[in-house]
Amino acid sequence: MSAAVAPAPAAQPPKLEKKPIKFSNLLLGAGLNMFEVTTLGQPLEVIKTTMAAHRGDGFTTALGRIWNRGGILGFYQGLIPWAWIEASTKGAVLLFVASEAEYYARRAGANDFGSGIIGGVTGGVAQAYATMGFCTCMKTVEITKHKVAASGQKPPGTWATFMDIYRREGIRGINKGVNAVAIRQMTNWGSRFGLSRLAEQGIRKVTGKEHGEKLSAFEKIIASALGGGLSAWNQPIEVIRVEMQSKKEDPNRPKKMTVGNTFKYIYQTNGVKGLYRGVTPRIGLGVWQTVCMVAMGDMCVSLPSNGAPLLPGRRC
């Protein structure tokens, strides 16, 4: 009489482990953002902001306006100190908050795609309110202030401008438009990480890597570029943010600007096209930022043993 064969135990899913936040990873996030903004990031930011603020300008006109304002250095206006302050802090904030949010989303039962979006959205909101509000405001002021220069006077320096706004409007003035920044960042990073993840899944199906095989560096860059480019769908939020923070003079602008009345003002003066002004450099900026933060981040940080990404959307 043969002994009954016991059924093989069902495979257990890998245990979800909470990974500690290493100081080296925080430095990596800051370093990647510093590299991104110092290379292509700030020139694309200046072009995008100029077109969003001067919605009658085409791409070529915006380039000429920037060049006349300061030559090649005009494309790096606002880089020091505001873009550097923003880049060196927001990368670390994103890495810390997004990884924590993703861990708890996964523990609650969310899948990779859903937890990636949750992590990206949470990290983006944290970026906006922790560091980006006053930085984006001051960058926009630097790029759009022209009234004093047009009158033949020397415009005030960076810190003089900062202190003047603080004396007149206080912290609220420095953080003007921060709610629009928060909406932009939560949709930015939720879209970038989520859409990059979807692109990775598509690449895996095409290349036959559906069982966890590593993607090549080129495949990661392609996925990140697709995710970053498609994330420019929220350009109207960016145009609203720029308008709220701009120092240009227009008697028709609402005196107390909110996201809602700024949207109405832009639509009434420039129509739907005005809401998407600057989308071309924005696509380029989204591609470059996502390649730096997702693809290059994947190449620099090792994954946990259970495959849970340290950043939303990270999957080597």
Short mmCIF file of all heavy atoms in Angstrom, two decimals, residues 190-215:
data_model
loop_
_atom_site.label_atom_id
_atom_site.label_comp_id
_atom_site.label_asym_id
_atom_site.label_seq_id
_atom_site.Cartn_x
_atom_site.Cartn_y
_atom_site.Cartn_z
N GLY A 190 2.77 61.77 -9.20
CA GLY A 190 1.86 60.64 -9.33
C GLY A 190 1.81 60.14 -10.76
O GLY A 190 1.87 58.93 -11.03
N SER A 191 1.76 61.08 -11.72
CA SER A 191 1.73 60.72 -13.14
C SER A 191 3.07 60.15 -13.59
O SER A 191 3.12 59.13 -14.30
CB SER A 191 1.39 61.95 -13.99
OG SER A 191 0.11 62.43 -13.70
N ARG A 192 4.15 60.81 -13.19
CA ARG A 192 5.47 60.37 -13.67
C ARG A 192 5.81 58.96 -13.22
O ARG A 192 6.22 58.12 -14.02
CB ARG A 192 6.54 61.35 -13.20
CG ARG A 192 6.48 62.68 -13.93
CD ARG A 192 7.39 63.72 -13.29
NE ARG A 192 7.25 65.01 -13.96
CZ ARG A 192 7.80 66.13 -13.54
NH1 ARG A 192 8.54 66.12 -12.43
NH2 ARG A 192 7.64 67.25 -14.20
N PHE A 193 5.63 58.71 -11.92
CA PHE A 193 5.94 57.37 -11.43
C PHE A 193 4.93 56.34 -11.94
O PHE A 193 5.30 55.24 -12.33
CB PHE A 193 5.97 57.36 -9.90
CG PHE A 193 7.20 58.01 -9.34
CD1 PHE A 193 7.08 59.01 -8.37
CD2 PHE A 193 8.45 57.65 -9.76
CE1 PHE A 193 8.20 59.62 -7.84
CE2 PHE A 193 9.59 58.25 -9.23
CZ PHE A 193 9.46 59.24 -8.28
N GLY A 194 3.65 56.71 -11.91
CA GLY A 194 2.62 55.75 -12.36
C GLY A 194 2.73 55.43 -13.83
O GLY A 194 2.70 54.26 -14.23
N LEU A 195 2.87 56.45 -14.68
CA LEU A 195 2.97 56.23 -16.12
C LEU A 195 4.28 55.55 -16.49
O LEU A 195 4.33 54.75 -17.44
CB LEU A 195 2.82 57.56 -16.87
CG LEU A 195 1.43 58.20 -16.78
CD1 LEU A 195 1.44 59.59 -17.39
CD2 LEU A 195 0.38 57.33 -17.46
N SER A 196 5.35 55.86 -15.76
CA SER A 196 6.61 55.15 -16.00
C SER A 196 6.45 53.67 -15.69
O SER A 196 6.99 52.81 -16.40
CB SER A 196 7.73 55.76 -15.15
OG SER A 196 8.01 57.09 -15.52
N ARG A 197 5.72 53.35 -14.62
CA ARG A 197 5.46 51.96 -14.27
C ARG A 197 4.67 51.25 -15.37
O ARG A 197 4.98 50.12 -15.75
CB ARG A 197 4.70 51.89 -12.95
CG ARG A 197 4.41 50.49 -12.46
CD ARG A 197 5.68 49.77 -12.02
NE ARG A 197 6.32 50.49 -10.95
CZ ARG A 197 6.00 50.37 -9.67
NH1 ARG A 197 5.02 49.60 -9.30
NH2 ARG A 197 6.67 51.04 -8.76
N LEU A 198 3.65 51.93 -15.89
CA LEU A 198 2.88 51.34 -16.98
C LEU A 198 3.75 51.11 -18.21
O LEU A 198 3.63 50.09 -18.89
CB LEU A 198 1.70 52.25 -17.34
CG LEU A 198 0.51 52.24 -16.39
CD1 LEU A 198 -0.54 53.22 -16.87
CD2 LEU A 198 -0.09 50.84 -16.29
N ALA A 199 4.62 52.08 -18.51
CA ALA A 199 5.53 51.94 -19.65
C ALA A 199 6.47 50.77 -19.43
O ALA A 199 6.77 50.00 -20.37
CB ALA A 199 6.31 53.23 -19.86
N GLU A 200 6.96 50.59 -18.20
CA GLU A 200 7.83 49.45 -17.90
C GLU A 200 7.09 48.13 -18.13
O GLU A 200 7.66 47.17 -18.67
CB GLU A 200 8.32 49.54 -16.45
CG GLU A 200 9.35 50.61 -16.22
CD GLU A 200 9.81 50.66 -14.77
OE1 GLU A 200 9.34 49.81 -13.97
OE2 GLU A 200 10.61 51.54 -14.45
N GLN A 201 5.82 48.08 -17.72
CA GLN A 201 5.04 46.86 -17.93
C GLN A 201 4.88 46.56 -19.41
O GLN A 201 4.96 45.40 -19.83
CB GLN A 201 3.67 47.01 -17.26
CG GLN A 201 3.74 47.04 -15.74
CD GLN A 201 2.39 47.29 -15.09
OE1 GLN A 201 1.40 47.61 -15.76
NE2 GLN A 201 2.32 47.15 -13.78
N GLY A 202 4.66 47.60 -20.21
CA GLY A 202 4.56 47.41 -21.66
C GLY A 202 5.87 46.91 -22.25
O GLY A 202 5.87 46.02 -23.11
N ILE A 203 6.99 47.48 -21.78
CA ILE A 203 8.30 47.04 -22.28
C ILE A 203 8.55 45.59 -21.90
O ILE A 203 9.10 44.80 -22.68
CB ILE A 203 9.40 47.97 -21.73
CG1 ILE A 203 9.29 49.36 -22.39
CG2 ILE A 203 10.79 47.37 -21.97
CD1 ILE A 203 10.21 50.40 -21.81
N ARG A 204 8.15 45.20 -20.68
CA ARG A 204 8.33 43.82 -20.25
C ARG A 204 7.55 42.84 -21.14
O ARG A 204 8.04 41.77 -21.47
CB ARG A 204 7.88 43.67 -18.79
CG ARG A 204 8.82 44.31 -17.80
CD ARG A 204 8.33 44.15 -16.37
NE ARG A 204 9.25 44.80 -15.44
CZ ARG A 204 10.39 44.27 -15.02
NH1 ARG A 204 10.73 43.05 -15.44
NH2 ARG A 204 11.18 44.92 -14.19
N LYS A 205 6.34 43.23 -21.52
CA LYS A 205 5.54 42.35 -22.38
C LYS A 205 6.18 42.20 -23.75
O LYS A 205 6.22 41.12 -24.32
CB LYS A 205 4.13 42.91 -22.52
CG LYS A 205 3.29 42.78 -21.26
CD LYS A 205 1.88 43.34 -21.47
CE LYS A 205 1.05 43.19 -20.20
NZ LYS A 205 -0.33 43.75 -20.38
N VAL A 206 6.68 43.32 -24.30
CA VAL A 206 7.28 43.29 -25.63
C VAL A 206 8.58 42.50 -25.63
O VAL A 206 8.88 41.76 -26.57
CB VAL A 206 7.52 44.74 -26.12
CG1 VAL A 206 8.36 44.73 -27.41
CG2 VAL A 206 6.19 45.45 -26.36
N THR A 207 9.38 42.64 -24.55
CA THR A 207 10.71 42.00 -24.51
C THR A 207 10.71 40.64 -23.81
O THR A 207 11.77 40.01 -23.70
CB THR A 207 11.70 42.93 -23.79
OG1 THR A 207 11.22 43.22 -22.46
CG2 THR A 207 11.86 44.24 -24.55
N GLY A 208 9.55 40.20 -23.33
CA GLY A 208 9.48 38.90 -22.67
C GLY A 208 10.11 38.88 -21.29
O GLY A 208 10.60 37.84 -20.85
N LYS A 209 10.07 40.01 -20.59
CA LYS A 209 10.65 40.09 -19.25
C LYS A 209 9.54 40.24 -18.20
O LYS A 209 9.62 41.08 -17.30
CB LYS A 209 11.62 41.27 -19.16
CG LYS A 209 12.84 41.13 -20.08
CD LYS A 209 13.76 42.33 -19.94
CE LYS A 209 14.99 42.17 -20.82
NZ LYS A 209 15.91 43.34 -20.73
N GLU A 210 8.53 39.42 -18.32
CA GLU A 210 7.36 39.55 -17.45
C GLU A 210 7.51 38.80 -16.13
O GLU A 210 6.58 38.76 -15.32
CB GLU A 210 6.11 39.05 -18.17
CG GLU A 210 5.79 39.84 -19.43
CD GLU A 210 4.52 39.37 -20.11
OE1 GLU A 210 3.44 39.55 -19.55
OE2 GLU A 210 4.64 38.77 -21.21
N HIS A 211 8.65 38.17 -15.89
CA HIS A 211 8.84 37.38 -14.67
C HIS A 211 9.91 37.97 -13.76
O HIS A 211 10.60 37.25 -13.05
CB HIS A 211 9.18 35.93 -15.04
CG HIS A 211 8.15 35.27 -15.91
ND1 HIS A 211 6.90 34.92 -15.44
CD2 HIS A 211 8.18 34.95 -17.23
CE1 HIS A 211 6.20 34.37 -16.42
NE2 HIS A 211 6.95 34.38 -17.52
N GLY A 212 10.06 39.28 -13.81
CA GLY A 212 10.96 39.95 -12.88
C GLY A 212 12.37 40.16 -13.37
O GLY A 212 13.22 40.60 -12.59
N GLU A 213 12.66 39.82 -14.66
CA GLU A 213 14.00 40.04 -15.17
C GLU A 213 14.34 41.55 -15.17
O GLU A 213 13.46 42.38 -15.32
CB GLU A 213 14.14 39.50 -16.60
CG GLU A 213 13.97 37.99 -16.71
CD GLU A 213 12.52 37.58 -16.92
OE1 GLU A 213 11.62 38.44 -16.69
OE2 GLU A 213 12.27 36.42 -17.27
N LYS A 214 15.63 41.84 -15.01
CA LYS A 214 16.04 43.24 -14.95
C LYS A 214 15.87 43.91 -16.31
O LYS A 214 16.16 43.32 -17.35
CB LYS A 214 17.50 43.34 -14.51
CG LYS A 214 17.75 42.99 -13.05
CD LYS A 214 19.19 43.24 -12.66
CE LYS A 214 19.51 44.72 -12.72
NZ LYS A 214 20.88 45.02 -12.20
N LEU A 215 15.40 45.13 -16.27
CA LEU A 215 15.37 45.94 -17.48
C LEU A 215 16.74 46.56 -17.70
O LEU A 215 17.45 46.88 -16.76
CB LEU A 215 14.31 47.05 -17.35
CG LEU A 215 12.85 46.63 -17.23
CD1 LEU A 215 11.96 47.86 -17.08
CD2 LEU A 215 12.41 45.82 -18.44
#
